[in-house]
Amino acid sequence: MIIRRTAELAGGSPVVADSVPMSVHHDAASGLWTLTAPPRTLGAPVVVADRVCLPVDGRVTALDRSTGRVLWQTPHRVEFHSDFVSAVFAAGEHLVVPSSCTYMTKGDMISLAVLSTGTGDPSWSREAESISGFAAHDRTLVFWRLDAEERGRITAVDLSTGGLRWRHDLDALNAVLLAGDRVVASSAAGGRREVLGYDLRSGEQLWRTEAHGLPESLRLSGQDPSAEPVALAWNWLGSNLRWFSPATGGKLGSLRPRPGISFYGSDDPLTRADGESLWLTTNDRRRIDLLRPFAARPRTRTFTPLPRRLAYSSPELVEAAGRLYALARPAFEHEEAPWEERRGTLVVTARVDRPGRYRRLTPVRWPGAVPRSERHIMWADLTAGRNHVYVQGWHRDGTGRTLAVRGNRVLWQREGRSSVAVPLDDRVLLVEQGAERDHLYLVDGETGAFADPAVERT
């Protein structure tokens, strides 16, 4: 392990002359702004308090959230792991920047650098190693390497200095969860399928149990933050769900689907609806079950899409302002129809707070001014904001589209290849890539309005 300190990073790297050419257009009346940069240079933004941070031509850049004004930019270029996921991870006063160095058969080799959120000054960096994921809590950064066949690894370091706190090598490491001051791991050490709990700061093993099997997915339930946290353990091969205390490992409950029904076999098929409910899609993709495993009186409600199955999307389900949203294949379309002959997908929705055990998901309504030929779009991604849902995909002609939905209505759509949507209250940040330039737009979620950089500034 090699840790480079701040002086080593900054000492030989003065502010460079070839700074990235950028411009920001701010509309003071609406409060909207647009950042313009060279083509194929903008990465995914992340909102950190009063700032928006994103990579621009490989350099982490901080913008003022209200005006888009550039506050700072690092002089060091980094090859980011992906343009389509957040390339910067916010952890309190620090930004964790993972970069992809080399590509290996066992996975990507990722190096980590930690910057100051306020100034962008580098604190420390870590040489590349195989990393599957990371999380931070209370000035401790935890990262891990999953390996279902050989030995995995969990490492904890001091977030401020990069100094090693502890490290554990485990056989067949399937999943890791950071739950407050506990690190929970699903492992098959010594052939035993078990879940283990460690103290975040010391790495001391606090408990181990075989009661939860070998979960493929671990996550927090999303209950009231003031309540005791509850961890969920999901094993899709066995189609069972268990929930337990991350503090003690004690089992709190379990759920097995009704006989004859298997749930869709992804690594993480659970979508949280609220603190007490879980969404699960069935394997035949014709039904969505709303389960209440934590309630005093557990109940199941079923939502069916349409005569046709649910379409594939990422994620499969989202919830916003009391409504469930999903994508569905249109009726009378053959399951094996080639891409160029498909009619697209439908955005379907239903209220989740109305009574009744069985509910139907119905298509959202488009404005009458939008031609029917413009409504058949191959949707791929769903993003839930506070009151809006943003759907991103492609038209049959190959152009990218972003669609905004509120309630059961389509509010607006815009053309442009957008790699990511990041909700910001009732607005949304859209990164759109073009042949001549890239843009980061702050767009009004209700109207689709934006600050047009082509308009002459006053």
Side-chain angles (χ1 to χ4, degrees), residues 16 18-24 33 35-45 52-63 68 70-80 83 87-88 97 431 438-440:
V16 293
D18 62 336
S19 59
V20 182
M22 297 183 298
S23 63
V24 176
W33 51 263
L35 171 72
T36 302
R40 304 294 298 177
T41 58
L42 292 185
V52 174
C53 298
L54 77 163
V56 182
D57 195 24
R59 294 173 177 166
V60 181
T61 305
L63 312 175
V70 177
L71 301 176
W72 53 258
Q73 183 177 77
T74 60
H76 311 278
R77 283 191 173 92
V78 176
E79 181 184 351
F80 285 94
D83 289 337
V88 181
V97 183
V431 175
D438 284 359
H439 292 108
L440 171 62

mmCIF file of all heavy atoms in Angstrom, residues 16 18-24 33 35-45 52-63 68 70-80 83 87-88 97 431 438-440:
data_model
loop_
_atom_site.group_PDB
_atom_site.id
_atom_site.type_symbol
_atom_site.label_atom_id
_atom_site.label_comp_id
_atom_site.label_asym_id
_atom_site.label_seq_id
_atom_site.Cartn_x
_atom_site.Cartn_y
_atom_site.Cartn_z
ATOM 1 N N VAL A 16 -2.040 24.616 -13.985
ATOM 2 C CA VAL A 16 -1.539 24.481 -15.348
ATOM 3 C C VAL A 16 -2.156 25.534 -16.250
ATOM 4 O O VAL A 16 -3.213 26.087 -15.981
ATOM 5 C CB VAL A 16 -1.850 23.073 -15.892
ATOM 6 C CG1 VAL A 16 -1.059 22.030 -15.146
ATOM 7 C CG2 VAL A 16 -3.339 22.787 -15.806
ATOM 8 N N ASP A 18 -3.060 25.008 -19.454
ATOM 9 C CA ASP A 18 -4.047 24.483 -20.395
ATOM 10 C C ASP A 18 -5.357 24.166 -19.687
ATOM 11 O O ASP A 18 -5.864 23.058 -19.723
ATOM 12 C CB ASP A 18 -3.517 23.244 -21.105
ATOM 13 C CG ASP A 18 -3.227 22.112 -20.122
ATOM 14 O OD1 ASP A 18 -2.992 22.405 -18.935
ATOM 15 O OD2 ASP A 18 -3.249 20.948 -20.558
ATOM 16 N N SER A 19 -5.904 25.145 -18.986
ATOM 17 C CA SER A 19 -7.160 24.953 -18.284
ATOM 18 C C SER A 19 -8.279 24.677 -19.280
ATOM 19 O O SER A 19 -8.236 25.103 -20.430
ATOM 20 C CB SER A 19 -7.498 26.183 -17.435
ATOM 21 O OG SER A 19 -7.598 27.323 -18.264
ATOM 22 N N VAL A 20 -9.301 23.950 -18.830
ATOM 23 C CA VAL A 20 -10.382 23.546 -19.713
ATOM 24 C C VAL A 20 -11.216 24.772 -20.078
ATOM 25 O O VAL A 20 -11.690 25.501 -19.190
ATOM 26 C CB VAL A 20 -11.269 22.496 -19.019
ATOM 27 C CG1 VAL A 20 -12.369 22.029 -19.962
ATOM 28 C CG2 VAL A 20 -10.427 21.323 -18.556
ATOM 29 N N PRO A 21 -11.438 25.028 -21.362
ATOM 30 C CA PRO A 21 -12.281 26.175 -21.737
ATOM 31 C C PRO A 21 -13.748 25.897 -21.427
ATOM 32 O O PRO A 21 -14.357 24.983 -21.982
ATOM 33 C CB PRO A 21 -12.049 26.294 -23.257
ATOM 34 C CG PRO A 21 -11.633 24.921 -23.686
ATOM 35 C CD PRO A 21 -10.886 24.327 -22.537
ATOM 36 N N MET A 22 -14.289 26.685 -20.512
ATOM 37 C CA MET A 22 -15.678 26.520 -20.092
ATOM 38 C C MET A 22 -16.341 27.886 -20.051
ATOM 39 O O MET A 22 -15.668 28.911 -19.909
ATOM 40 C CB MET A 22 -15.759 25.878 -18.703
ATOM 41 C CG MET A 22 -15.208 24.486 -18.593
ATOM 42 S SD MET A 22 -15.451 23.848 -16.912
ATOM 43 C CE MET A 22 -14.479 25.023 -15.963
ATOM 44 N N SER A 23 -17.668 27.869 -20.148
ATOM 45 C CA SER A 23 -18.434 29.094 -19.955
ATOM 46 C C SER A 23 -19.732 28.749 -19.247
ATOM 47 O O SER A 23 -20.252 27.639 -19.390
ATOM 48 C CB SER A 23 -18.730 29.784 -21.297
ATOM 49 O OG SER A 23 -19.538 28.954 -22.116
ATOM 50 N N VAL A 24 -20.244 29.687 -18.468
ATOM 51 C CA VAL A 24 -21.481 29.489 -17.721
ATOM 52 C C VAL A 24 -22.439 30.608 -18.071
ATOM 53 O O VAL A 24 -22.066 31.795 -18.022
ATOM 54 C CB VAL A 24 -21.226 29.471 -16.198
ATOM 55 C CG1 VAL A 24 -22.543 29.361 -15.444
ATOM 56 C CG2 VAL A 24 -20.299 28.321 -15.824
ATOM 57 N N TRP A 33 -29.220 27.857 -14.939
ATOM 58 C CA TRP A 33 -27.902 28.097 -15.523
ATOM 59 C C TRP A 33 -27.481 26.912 -16.379
ATOM 60 O O TRP A 33 -27.996 25.798 -16.249
ATOM 61 C CB TRP A 33 -26.852 28.389 -14.463
ATOM 62 C CG TRP A 33 -26.773 27.402 -13.327
ATOM 63 C CD1 TRP A 33 -27.364 27.520 -12.106
ATOM 64 C CD2 TRP A 33 -26.042 26.153 -13.307
ATOM 65 N NE1 TRP A 33 -27.071 26.433 -11.314
ATOM 66 C CE2 TRP A 33 -26.261 25.586 -12.029
ATOM 67 C CE3 TRP A 33 -25.247 25.488 -14.217
ATOM 68 C CZ2 TRP A 33 -25.711 24.362 -11.653
ATOM 69 C CZ3 TRP A 33 -24.695 24.273 -13.866
ATOM 70 C CH2 TRP A 33 -24.917 23.726 -12.587
ATOM 71 N N LEU A 35 -23.806 25.163 -18.087
ATOM 72 C CA LEU A 35 -22.357 25.098 -18.248
ATOM 73 C C LEU A 35 -22.050 24.499 -19.618
ATOM 74 O O LEU A 35 -22.593 23.454 -19.984
ATOM 75 C CB LEU A 35 -21.739 24.227 -17.151
ATOM 76 C CG LEU A 35 -20.250 23.894 -17.298
ATOM 77 C CD1 LEU A 35 -19.402 25.127 -17.018
ATOM 78 C CD2 LEU A 35 -19.856 22.742 -16.374
ATOM 79 N N THR A 36 -21.187 25.154 -20.384
ATOM 80 C CA THR A 36 -20.770 24.677 -21.699
ATOM 81 C C THR A 36 -19.292 24.306 -21.652
ATOM 82 O O THR A 36 -18.479 25.056 -21.115
ATOM 83 C CB THR A 36 -21.006 25.745 -22.778
ATOM 84 O OG1 THR A 36 -22.388 26.105 -22.786
ATOM 85 C CG2 THR A 36 -20.619 25.235 -24.150
ATOM 86 N N ALA A 37 -18.960 23.129 -22.200
ATOM 87 C CA ALA A 37 -17.579 22.632 -22.172
ATOM 88 C C ALA A 37 -17.285 21.921 -23.492
ATOM 89 O O ALA A 37 -18.196 21.658 -24.282
ATOM 90 C CB ALA A 37 -17.390 21.687 -20.986
ATOM 91 N N PRO A 38 -16.012 21.603 -23.757
ATOM 92 C CA PRO A 38 -15.683 20.889 -24.995
ATOM 93 C C PRO A 38 -16.393 19.549 -25.083
ATOM 94 O O PRO A 38 -16.836 18.989 -24.064
ATOM 95 C CB PRO A 38 -14.160 20.713 -24.892
ATOM 96 C CG PRO A 38 -13.709 21.796 -23.979
ATOM 97 C CD PRO A 38 -14.811 21.970 -22.994
ATOM 98 N N PRO A 39 -16.513 18.987 -26.287
ATOM 99 C CA PRO A 39 -17.260 17.734 -26.456
ATOM 100 C C PRO A 39 -16.599 16.569 -25.731
ATOM 101 O O PRO A 39 -15.370 16.493 -25.635
ATOM 102 C CB PRO A 39 -17.261 17.524 -27.978
ATOM 103 C CG PRO A 39 -16.104 18.303 -28.473
ATOM 104 C CD PRO A 39 -15.987 19.491 -27.572
ATOM 105 N N ARG A 40 -17.459 15.680 -25.194
ATOM 106 C CA ARG A 40 -17.044 14.460 -24.511
ATOM 107 C C ARG A 40 -16.136 14.734 -23.326
ATOM 108 O O ARG A 40 -15.188 13.984 -23.059
ATOM 109 C CB ARG A 40 -16.329 13.519 -25.488
ATOM 110 C CG ARG A 40 -17.136 13.168 -26.725
ATOM 111 C CD ARG A 40 -18.370 12.363 -26.413
ATOM 112 N NE ARG A 40 -18.040 11.085 -25.807
ATOM 113 C CZ ARG A 40 -18.934 10.203 -25.373
ATOM 114 N NH1 ARG A 40 -20.227 10.498 -25.463
ATOM 115 N NH2 ARG A 40 -18.570 9.059 -24.845
ATOM 116 N N THR A 41 -16.404 15.808 -22.596
ATOM 117 C CA THR A 41 -15.564 16.130 -21.441
ATOM 118 C C THR A 41 -16.333 16.115 -20.122
ATOM 119 O O THR A 41 -15.702 16.067 -19.063
ATOM 120 C CB THR A 41 -14.911 17.521 -21.595
ATOM 121 O OG1 THR A 41 -15.928 18.514 -21.750
ATOM 122 C CG2 THR A 41 -13.978 17.544 -22.804
ATOM 123 N N LEU A 42 -17.668 16.184 -20.153
ATOM 124 C CA LEU A 42 -18.435 16.281 -18.913
ATOM 125 C C LEU A 42 -18.786 14.897 -18.386
ATOM 126 O O LEU A 42 -19.254 14.030 -19.125
ATOM 127 C CB LEU A 42 -19.720 17.076 -19.133
ATOM 128 C CG LEU A 42 -19.569 18.563 -19.440
ATOM 129 C CD1 LEU A 42 -20.936 19.234 -19.517
ATOM 130 C CD2 LEU A 42 -18.706 19.257 -18.389
ATOM 131 N N GLY A 43 -18.565 14.702 -17.079
ATOM 132 C CA GLY A 43 -18.969 13.479 -16.404
ATOM 133 C C GLY A 43 -20.238 13.707 -15.608
ATOM 134 O O GLY A 43 -20.934 14.713 -15.773
ATOM 135 N N ALA A 44 -20.545 12.785 -14.738
ATOM 136 C CA ALA A 44 -21.779 12.837 -13.967
ATOM 137 C C ALA A 44 -21.617 13.758 -12.755
ATOM 138 O O ALA A 44 -20.619 13.679 -12.046
ATOM 139 C CB ALA A 44 -22.171 11.444 -13.507
ATOM 140 N N PRO A 45 -22.599 14.642 -12.495
ATOM 141 C CA PRO A 45 -22.493 15.548 -11.347
ATOM 142 C C PRO A 45 -23.008 14.908 -10.067
ATOM 143 O O PRO A 45 -23.801 13.961 -10.096
ATOM 144 C CB PRO A 45 -23.386 16.720 -11.763
ATOM 145 C CG PRO A 45 -24.439 16.091 -12.627
ATOM 146 C CD PRO A 45 -23.768 14.935 -13.330
ATOM 147 N N VAL A 52 -22.174 21.847 -6.769
ATOM 148 C CA VAL A 52 -22.317 20.744 -7.713
ATOM 149 C C VAL A 52 -20.913 20.388 -8.166
ATOM 150 O O VAL A 52 -20.177 21.244 -8.665
ATOM 151 C CB VAL A 52 -23.201 21.129 -8.915
ATOM 152 C CG1 VAL A 52 -23.210 20.008 -9.954
ATOM 153 C CG2 VAL A 52 -24.620 21.452 -8.459
ATOM 154 N N CYS A 53 -20.519 19.126 -7.981
ATOM 155 C CA CYS A 53 -19.178 18.688 -8.360
ATOM 156 C C CYS A 53 -19.278 17.661 -9.481
ATOM 157 O O CYS A 53 -20.137 16.777 -9.444
ATOM 158 C CB CYS A 53 -18.451 18.084 -7.161
ATOM 159 S SG CYS A 53 -18.191 19.246 -5.791
ATOM 160 N N LEU A 54 -18.384 17.787 -10.451
ATOM 161 C CA LEU A 54 -18.358 16.850 -11.567
ATOM 162 C C LEU A 54 -17.002 16.909 -12.239
ATOM 163 O O LEU A 54 -16.271 17.894 -12.100
ATOM 164 C CB LEU A 54 -19.453 17.177 -12.582
ATOM 165 C CG LEU A 54 -19.246 18.342 -13.550
ATOM 166 C CD1 LEU A 54 -20.214 18.225 -14.712
ATOM 167 C CD2 LEU A 54 -19.388 19.684 -12.855
ATOM 168 N N PRO A 55 -16.639 15.862 -12.989
ATOM 169 C CA PRO A 55 -15.404 15.920 -13.768
ATOM 170 C C PRO A 55 -15.608 16.663 -15.077
ATOM 171 O O PRO A 55 -16.615 16.472 -15.761
ATOM 172 C CB PRO A 55 -15.069 14.445 -14.009
ATOM 173 C CG PRO A 55 -16.371 13.737 -13.915
ATOM 174 C CD PRO A 55 -17.217 14.510 -12.959
ATOM 175 N N VAL A 56 -14.678 17.546 -15.409
ATOM 176 C CA VAL A 56 -14.664 18.247 -16.684
ATOM 177 C C VAL A 56 -13.312 17.970 -17.328
ATOM 178 O O VAL A 56 -12.283 18.404 -16.816
ATOM 179 C CB VAL A 56 -14.882 19.764 -16.506
ATOM 180 C CG1 VAL A 56 -14.901 20.444 -17.866
ATOM 181 C CG2 VAL A 56 -16.171 20.040 -15.749
ATOM 182 N N ASP A 57 -13.322 17.230 -18.404
ATOM 183 C CA ASP A 57 -12.090 16.826 -19.078
ATOM 184 C C ASP A 57 -11.135 16.152 -18.097
ATOM 185 O O ASP A 57 -9.929 16.382 -18.102
ATOM 186 C CB ASP A 57 -11.416 18.027 -19.745
ATOM 187 C CG ASP A 57 -10.351 17.594 -20.745
ATOM 188 O OD1 ASP A 57 -10.439 16.463 -21.242
ATOM 189 O OD2 ASP A 57 -9.430 18.388 -21.015
ATOM 190 N N GLY A 58 -11.696 15.307 -17.225
ATOM 191 C CA GLY A 58 -10.869 14.564 -16.283
ATOM 192 C C GLY A 58 -10.475 15.315 -15.038
ATOM 193 O O GLY A 58 -9.758 14.768 -14.195
ATOM 194 N N ARG A 59 -10.937 16.567 -14.882
ATOM 195 C CA ARG A 59 -10.595 17.346 -13.693
ATOM 196 C C ARG A 59 -11.838 17.582 -12.855
ATOM 197 O O ARG A 59 -12.859 18.042 -13.362
ATOM 198 C CB ARG A 59 -9.987 18.683 -14.093
ATOM 199 C CG ARG A 59 -8.644 18.530 -14.786
ATOM 200 C CD ARG A 59 -8.165 19.846 -15.299
ATOM 201 N NE ARG A 59 -6.848 19.726 -15.899
ATOM 202 C CZ ARG A 59 -6.305 20.649 -16.664
ATOM 203 N NH1 ARG A 59 -6.967 21.752 -16.925
ATOM 204 N NH2 ARG A 59 -5.115 20.468 -17.167
ATOM 205 N N VAL A 60 -11.749 17.279 -11.573
ATOM 206 C CA VAL A 60 -12.874 17.526 -10.685
ATOM 207 C C VAL A 60 -13.101 19.028 -10.590
ATOM 208 O O VAL A 60 -12.167 19.793 -10.341
ATOM 209 C CB VAL A 60 -12.619 16.930 -9.295
ATOM 210 C CG1 VAL A 60 -13.825 17.170 -8.391
ATOM 211 C CG2 VAL A 60 -12.324 15.440 -9.399
ATOM 212 N N THR A 61 -14.359 19.437 -10.782
ATOM 213 C CA THR A 61 -14.719 20.855 -10.825
ATOM 214 C C THR A 61 -15.896 21.085 -9.902
ATOM 215 O O THR A 61 -16.841 20.295 -9.885
ATOM 216 C CB THR A 61 -15.098 21.273 -12.263
ATOM 217 O OG1 THR A 61 -14.016 20.929 -13.138
ATOM 218 C CG2 THR A 61 -15.376 22.754 -12.355
ATOM 219 N N ALA A 62 -15.841 22.166 -9.127
ATOM 220 C CA ALA A 62 -16.930 22.533 -8.227
ATOM 221 C C ALA A 62 -17.618 23.783 -8.747
ATOM 222 O O ALA A 62 -16.958 24.774 -9.083
ATOM 223 C CB ALA A 62 -16.408 22.771 -6.810
ATOM 224 N N LEU A 63 -18.962 23.728 -8.807
ATOM 225 C CA LEU A 63 -19.776 24.847 -9.258
ATOM 226 C C LEU A 63 -20.669 25.322 -8.133
ATOM 227 O O LEU A 63 -21.087 24.521 -7.283
ATOM 228 C CB LEU A 63 -20.652 24.439 -10.450
ATOM 229 C CG LEU A 63 -19.980 23.696 -11.606
ATOM 230 C CD1 LEU A 63 -21.040 23.268 -12.617
ATOM 231 C CD2 LEU A 63 -18.924 24.563 -12.254
ATOM 232 N N GLY A 68 -24.103 28.313 -10.929
ATOM 233 C CA GLY A 68 -23.250 27.571 -11.847
ATOM 234 C C GLY A 68 -21.842 28.110 -11.935
ATOM 235 O O GLY A 68 -21.023 27.574 -12.696
ATOM 236 N N VAL A 70 -18.020 28.682 -11.552
ATOM 237 C CA VAL A 70 -16.933 27.757 -11.233
ATOM 238 C C VAL A 70 -16.202 28.246 -9.989
ATOM 239 O O VAL A 70 -15.686 29.369 -9.968
ATOM 240 C CB VAL A 70 -15.961 27.616 -12.419
ATOM 241 C CG1 VAL A 70 -14.800 26.697 -12.050
ATOM 242 C CG2 VAL A 70 -16.689 27.072 -13.651
ATOM 243 N N LEU A 71 -16.148 27.425 -8.957
ATOM 244 C CA LEU A 71 -15.483 27.785 -7.706
ATOM 245 C C LEU A 71 -14.029 27.312 -7.685
ATOM 246 O O LEU A 71 -13.161 28.028 -7.239
ATOM 247 C CB LEU A 71 -16.256 27.180 -6.528
ATOM 248 C CG LEU A 71 -17.723 27.616 -6.404
ATOM 249 C CD1 LEU A 71 -18.397 26.876 -5.269
ATOM 250 C CD2 LEU A 71 -17.816 29.113 -6.196
ATOM 251 N N TRP A 72 -13.797 26.104 -8.137
ATOM 252 C CA TRP A 72 -12.427 25.602 -8.242
ATOM 253 C C TRP A 72 -12.394 24.412 -9.184
ATOM 254 O O TRP A 72 -13.406 23.798 -9.471
ATOM 255 C CB TRP A 72 -11.830 25.238 -6.889
ATOM 256 C CG TRP A 72 -12.630 24.290 -6.026
ATOM 257 C CD1 TRP A 72 -13.412 24.612 -4.957
ATOM 258 C CD2 TRP A 72 -12.728 22.864 -6.163
ATOM 259 N NE1 TRP A 72 -13.996 23.508 -4.406
ATOM 260 C CE2 TRP A 72 -13.589 22.409 -5.135
ATOM 261 C CE3 TRP A 72 -12.184 21.937 -7.024
ATOM 262 C CZ2 TRP A 72 -13.910 21.058 -4.955
ATOM 263 C CZ3 TRP A 72 -12.503 20.594 -6.863
ATOM 264 C CH2 TRP A 72 -13.347 20.169 -5.843
ATOM 265 N N GLN A 73 -11.172 24.134 -9.673
ATOM 266 C CA GLN A 73 -10.956 22.979 -10.534
ATOM 267 C C GLN A 73 -9.562 22.435 -10.250
ATOM 268 O O GLN A 73 -8.598 23.194 -10.128
ATOM 269 C CB GLN A 73 -11.082 23.362 -12.010
ATOM 270 C CG GLN A 73 -10.941 22.170 -12.956
ATOM 271 C CD GLN A 73 -11.154 22.573 -14.402
ATOM 272 O OE1 GLN A 73 -10.268 23.162 -15.010
ATOM 273 N NE2 GLN A 73 -12.327 22.264 -14.942
ATOM 274 N N THR A 74 -9.453 21.122 -10.119
ATOM 275 C CA THR A 74 -8.152 20.525 -9.826
ATOM 276 C C THR A 74 -7.253 20.604 -11.059
ATOM 277 O O THR A 74 -7.726 20.488 -12.192
ATOM 278 C CB THR A 74 -8.306 19.056 -9.405
ATOM 279 O OG1 THR A 74 -8.926 18.331 -10.473
ATOM 280 C CG2 THR A 74 -9.158 18.940 -8.165
ATOM 281 N N PRO A 75 -5.961 20.784 -10.861
ATOM 282 C CA PRO A 75 -5.038 20.822 -12.000
ATOM 283 C C PRO A 75 -4.677 19.437 -12.523
ATOM 284 O O PRO A 75 -3.994 19.321 -13.525
ATOM 285 C CB PRO A 75 -3.801 21.509 -11.419
ATOM 286 C CG PRO A 75 -3.835 21.158 -9.981
ATOM 287 C CD PRO A 75 -5.285 21.109 -9.585
ATOM 288 N N HIS A 76 -5.137 18.367 -11.846
ATOM 289 C CA HIS A 76 -4.754 17.015 -12.217
ATOM 290 C C HIS A 76 -5.875 16.357 -13.008
ATOM 291 O O HIS A 76 -7.029 16.362 -12.600
ATOM 292 C CB HIS A 76 -4.468 16.167 -10.966
ATOM 293 C CG HIS A 76 -3.551 16.832 -9.996
ATOM 294 N ND1 HIS A 76 -2.188 16.810 -10.130
ATOM 295 C CD2 HIS A 76 -3.811 17.578 -8.889
ATOM 296 C CE1 HIS A 76 -1.635 17.481 -9.143
ATOM 297 N NE2 HIS A 76 -2.609 17.965 -8.377
ATOM 298 N N ARG A 77 -5.529 15.774 -14.133
ATOM 299 C CA ARG A 77 -6.496 15.010 -14.913
ATOM 300 C C ARG A 77 -6.540 13.569 -14.406
ATOM 301 O O ARG A 77 -5.524 12.983 -14.075
ATOM 302 C CB ARG A 77 -6.135 15.026 -16.394
ATOM 303 C CG ARG A 77 -6.493 16.319 -17.097
ATOM 304 C CD ARG A 77 -6.364 16.176 -18.602
ATOM 305 N NE ARG A 77 -6.871 17.358 -19.277
ATOM 306 C CZ ARG A 77 -6.129 18.410 -19.616
ATOM 307 N NH1 ARG A 77 -4.850 18.409 -19.315
ATOM 308 N NH2 ARG A 77 -6.664 19.440 -20.228
ATOM 309 N N VAL A 78 -7.751 13.015 -14.390
ATOM 310 C CA VAL A 78 -7.961 11.654 -13.917
ATOM 311 C C VAL A 78 -8.807 10.915 -14.941
ATOM 312 O O VAL A 78 -9.754 11.484 -15.496
ATOM 313 C CB VAL A 78 -8.686 11.657 -12.547
ATOM 314 C CG1 VAL A 78 -8.998 10.238 -12.106
ATOM 315 C CG2 VAL A 78 -7.840 12.356 -11.491
ATOM 316 N N GLU A 79 -8.486 9.655 -15.206
ATOM 317 C CA GLU A 79 -9.322 8.823 -16.066
ATOM 318 C C GLU A 79 -10.413 8.209 -15.209
ATOM 319 O O GLU A 79 -10.155 7.319 -14.401
ATOM 320 C CB GLU A 79 -8.495 7.716 -16.731
ATOM 321 C CG GLU A 79 -9.320 6.829 -17.656
ATOM 322 C CD GLU A 79 -8.513 5.693 -18.232
ATOM 323 O OE1 GLU A 79 -7.284 5.690 -18.054
ATOM 324 O OE2 GLU A 79 -9.118 4.804 -18.842
ATOM 325 N N PHE A 80 -11.636 8.702 -15.378
ATOM 326 C CA PHE A 80 -12.709 8.270 -14.504
ATOM 327 C C PHE A 80 -13.253 6.923 -14.934
ATOM 328 O O PHE A 80 -13.222 6.550 -16.106
ATOM 329 C CB PHE A 80 -13.816 9.320 -14.455
ATOM 330 C CG PHE A 80 -13.444 10.511 -13.625
ATOM 331 C CD1 PHE A 80 -12.887 11.635 -14.201
ATOM 332 C CD2 PHE A 80 -13.616 10.489 -12.253
ATOM 333 C CE1 PHE A 80 -12.517 12.719 -13.446
ATOM 334 C CE2 PHE A 80 -13.242 11.573 -11.483
ATOM 335 C CZ PHE A 80 -12.701 12.692 -12.076
ATOM 336 N N ASP A 83 -18.562 7.510 -17.302
ATOM 337 C CA ASP A 83 -19.271 8.778 -17.465
ATOM 338 C C ASP A 83 -20.726 8.671 -17.058
ATOM 339 O O ASP A 83 -21.423 9.667 -16.944
ATOM 340 C CB ASP A 83 -19.211 9.234 -18.929
ATOM 341 C CG ASP A 83 -17.818 9.696 -19.318
ATOM 342 O OD1 ASP A 83 -17.064 10.066 -18.411
ATOM 343 O OD2 ASP A 83 -17.507 9.672 -20.516
ATOM 344 N N ALA A 87 -19.071 10.066 -10.732
ATOM 345 C CA ALA A 87 -17.629 9.842 -10.667
ATOM 346 C C ALA A 87 -17.019 10.423 -9.411
ATOM 347 O O ALA A 87 -15.828 10.257 -9.173
ATOM 348 C CB ALA A 87 -16.955 10.446 -11.900
ATOM 349 N N VAL A 88 -17.812 11.120 -8.605
ATOM 350 C CA VAL A 88 -17.315 11.737 -7.379
ATOM 351 C C VAL A 88 -18.260 11.333 -6.253
ATOM 352 O O VAL A 88 -19.476 11.395 -6.401
ATOM 353 C CB VAL A 88 -17.267 13.269 -7.504
ATOM 354 C CG1 VAL A 88 -16.737 13.890 -6.232
ATOM 355 C CG2 VAL A 88 -16.412 13.682 -8.697
ATOM 356 N N VAL A 97 -12.597 10.403 -5.010
ATOM 357 C CA VAL A 97 -12.544 10.356 -6.466
ATOM 358 C C VAL A 97 -11.932 9.026 -6.895
ATOM 359 O O VAL A 97 -10.721 8.825 -6.769
ATOM 360 C CB VAL A 97 -11.709 11.530 -7.028
ATOM 361 C CG1 VAL A 97 -11.729 11.506 -8.556
ATOM 362 C CG2 VAL A 97 -12.234 12.857 -6.494
ATOM 363 N N VAL A 431 -26.804 16.226 -18.089
ATOM 364 C CA VAL A 431 -25.578 16.298 -18.874
ATOM 365 C C VAL A 431 -25.915 15.828 -20.283
ATOM 366 O O VAL A 431 -26.366 14.699 -20.472
ATOM 367 C CB VAL A 431 -24.475 15.408 -18.274
ATOM 368 C CG1 VAL A 431 -23.250 15.409 -19.176
ATOM 369 C CG2 VAL A 431 -24.101 15.885 -16.881
ATOM 370 N N ASP A 438 -20.329 19.923 -25.003
ATOM 371 C CA ASP A 438 -21.153 19.314 -23.962
ATOM 372 C C ASP A 438 -21.827 20.410 -23.154
ATOM 373 O O ASP A 438 -21.315 21.538 -23.053
ATOM 374 C CB ASP A 438 -20.303 18.470 -23.018
ATOM 375 C CG ASP A 438 -19.891 17.147 -23.624
ATOM 376 O OD1 ASP A 438 -20.278 16.877 -24.781
ATOM 377 O OD2 ASP A 438 -19.175 16.384 -22.939
ATOM 378 N N HIS A 439 -22.989 20.078 -22.572
ATOM 379 C CA HIS A 439 -23.692 21.026 -21.707
ATOM 380 C C HIS A 439 -24.117 20.326 -20.415
ATOM 381 O O HIS A 439 -24.506 19.157 -20.430
ATOM 382 C CB HIS A 439 -24.944 21.590 -22.391
ATOM 383 C CG HIS A 439 -24.655 22.484 -23.550
ATOM 384 N ND1 HIS A 439 -24.875 22.109 -24.854
ATOM 385 C CD2 HIS A 439 -24.137 23.741 -23.601
ATOM 386 C CE1 HIS A 439 -24.518 23.096 -25.661
ATOM 387 N NE2 HIS A 439 -24.067 24.093 -24.923
ATOM 388 N N LEU A 440 -24.045 21.064 -19.326
ATOM 389 C CA LEU A 440 -24.690 20.686 -18.082
ATOM 390 C C LEU A 440 -25.802 21.696 -17.854
ATOM 391 O O LEU A 440 -25.539 22.880 -17.613
ATOM 392 C CB LEU A 440 -23.702 20.703 -16.910
ATOM 393 C CG LEU A 440 -24.327 20.522 -15.513
ATOM 394 C CD1 LEU A 440 -25.027 19.171 -15.382
ATOM 395 C CD2 LEU A 440 -23.277 20.680 -14.415
#
